[in-house]
Amino acid sequence: MIVTKKDLREYLSCDAKNFPLENEWWGKRVMNHLFSNPISDQKYIWKYIYTLRHVEYHFNNKGIYHILMSLYYRWLLREYSYKTGFQIPPNTCGKGLTIWHWGPIINSKCKLGENCTLYPMVLIGHKSTCSPAPVLGDNVFVGAGSKIIGDIRIGNNVVIGQNVTIVKNIPDKTIIVNPSARLIN
């Protein structure tokens, strides 16, 4: 949880490792934005994560300054959410969050560990309104289109492939490609 400025800097530093072009000096960033392929455009994803971390910092502190800044950053987060398709509530993701493409949706009751990687169209949520949500460990990779649903725990160092639906606990150091594979004649 981000409470101090030191925590904020630490989280942003860990998050920035996978967005190196967005953390260069301003001249290199401008050149990257002007001459890069639109498919590799990571600036809005980085802006979303950067704003999310500031929302968490101001939300977790008290005082009129933090209330006002929290309102401003929440408004900014909503704007980036419309642009990127992300729905990630504050205080759900550990440091080192990496999002490669637009579109993950995470429920506010979920908890993601450190160094999680999310690909597009990922859904992490609960089965019904009052039920608990998933908890993901550290170093979890979630492939495109995967769904993690229910009161489950995903262990540390887990790789979840594309278009996988998970409704059961997954132990540490596991690779899941298709847990419900069936032969259809």
Side-chain angles (χ1 to χ4, degrees):
M1 192 149 93
I2 302 173
V3 179
T4 65
K5 280 278 194 186
K6 181 181 177 188
D7 295 340
L8 178 62
R9 283 190 300 272
E10 182 182 348
Y11 270 67
L12 287 173
S13 174
C14 289
D15 293 339
K17 289 178 183 173
N18 289 312
F19 299 94
L21 292 177
E22 295 305 317
N23 294 290
E24 293 288 340
W25 66 284
W26 69 270
K28 196 166 187 177
R29 278 196 320 263
V30 168
M31 295 300 286
N32 179 50
H33 293 172
L34 289 176
F35 299 111
S36 71
N37 182 342
I39 260 176
S40 66
D41 186 17
Q42 293 282 305
K43 73 179 177 182
Y44 292 112
I45 296 172
W46 172 246
K47 286 180 181 182
Y48 184 90
I49 292 173
Y50 181 86
T51 306
L52 176 67
R53 297 310 187 187
H54 279 81
V55 167
E56 292 172 351
Y57 169 67
H58 291 294
F59 181 76
N60 295 332
N61 285 288
K62 296 180 180 174
I64 190 71
Y65 168 75
H66 291 293
I67 291 171
L68 294 174
M69 292 306 291
S70 177
L71 290 172
Y72 168 72
Y73 277 111
R74 282 177 180 265
W75 170 80
L76 199 56
L77 188 67
R78 182 175 291 129
E79 294 300 313
Y80 288 132
S81 181
Y82 292 144
K83 186 174 286 282
T84 61
F86 297 157
Q87 294 179 19
I88 303 173
N91 296 320
T92 57
C93 302
K95 57 187 167 188
L97 176 65
T98 303
I99 305 172
W100 286 116
H101 300 283
W102 298 10
I105 299 173
I106 300 173
N107 184 279
S108 62
K109 295 180 181 178
C110 296
K111 294 295 177 197
L112 277 67
E114 295 181 3
N115 303 314
C116 284
T117 302
L118 305 176
Y119 269 66
M121 308 313 290
V122 168
L123 173 68
I124 304 173
H126 53 64
K127 288 183 181 179
S128 64
T129 307
C130 297
S131 66
V135 175
L136 279 66
D138 297 338
N139 305 311
V140 174
F141 172 91
V142 184
S146 293
K147 314 301 186 254
I148 303 170
I149 302 168
D151 182 15
I152 60 173
R153 166 125 174 87
I154 307 295
N156 297 324
N157 304 309
V158 172
V159 175
I160 300 170
Q162 297 178 340
N163 297 317
V164 174
T165 301
I166 296 179
V167 294
K168 296 179 182 176
N169 291 341
I170 305 295
D172 291 349
K173 299 180 182 175
T174 305
I175 298 173
I176 304 295
V177 179
N178 189 357
S180 60
R182 298 185 306 231
L183 178 62
I184 299 174
N185 292 339

